[in-house]
Amino acid sequence: RSSDLMVNAGHGWGNDSKGDKKFAPGSHDANGVEEWYRTRQFADELIKSLTNKGATVIFTAGDAKQVCDAKRKYNTDLLISLHMNAAENKKANGMEVFYHNGDNGSKTLAQTLNGKLESDLGAKTKVKADNESLQIKSQA
């Protein structure tokens, strides 16, 4: 069977505290290019690659609640959420791979991806449970 995957390009349309639609582009790089634009470019390439390999891919964008609601609605096997953050703190760098807390398959996949990122890219990466992200304060 083909895998049903959901790819989320971080940021984009969401709701503000009043429930009104609001565009939230995220942070930007040194050239002023906003995160939502970069994540959408990356998501488009990732979706093309995954569908070429036979996966069924659903694209989503928006705030965390919308993404989680879509994940539940479509009951996909995997959610890949892409973010490209910026920080004033020069010590803040590397990649983070999150897994669904309490799901051993998700944790194993995150650890495998982490190892691949480190070996192929020489990247500094961290593996964290999704509930650990609530403890991280934005530095952008």
Side-chain angles (χ1 to χ4, degrees):
R1 113 175 164 74
S2 67
S3 295
D4 292 330
L5 309 172
M6 180 170 283
V7 173
N8 164 249
H11 294 281
W13 286 100
N15 296 317
D16 63 16
S17 61
K18 297 176 188 172
D20 295 327
K21 291 284 185 202
K22 178 183 177 188
F23 185 71
S27 56
H28 55 82
D29 66 17
N31 298 317
V33 179
E34 294 170 327
E35 177 183 358
W36 72 268
Y37 181 76
R38 294 280 190 222
T39 58
R40 180 61 195 258
Q41 285 180 312
F42 192 88
D44 289 346
E45 290 299 316
L46 179 60
I47 290 167
K48 187 185 323 178
S49 176
L50 291 169
T51 55
N52 286 340
K53 294 180 186 323
T56 301
V57 183
I58 298 165
F59 172 78
T60 186
D63 64 24
K65 182 182 181 326
Q66 290 170 308
V67 173
C68 290
D69 288 348
K71 169 78 171 82
R72 281 190 290 279
K73 176 181 176 182
Y74 293 103
N75 194 28
T76 58
D77 296 324
L78 179 68
L79 165 64
I80 301 170
S81 184
L82 306 168
H83 290 266
M84 297 176 186
N85 300 320
E88 295 292 323
N89 181 348
K90 300 298 180 201
K91 292 181 181 180
N93 61 56
M95 296 183 213
E96 296 172 317
V97 179
F98 290 93
Y99 63 91
H100 182 63
N101 192 26
D103 181 338
N104 288 334
S106 177
K107 184 175 183 178
T108 299
L109 176 61
Q111 290 169 331
T112 301
L113 288 171
N114 182 67
K116 189 77 170 148
L117 288 167
E118 287 183 343
S119 67
D120 288 4
L121 302 177
K124 177 182 171 185
T125 60
K126 299 172 201 141
V127 175
K128 297 179 178 181
D130 55 4
N131 62 341
E132 289 182 63
S133 67
L134 300 174
Q135 301 165 11
I136 299 170
K137 293 183 180 175
S138 174
Q139 297 178 4

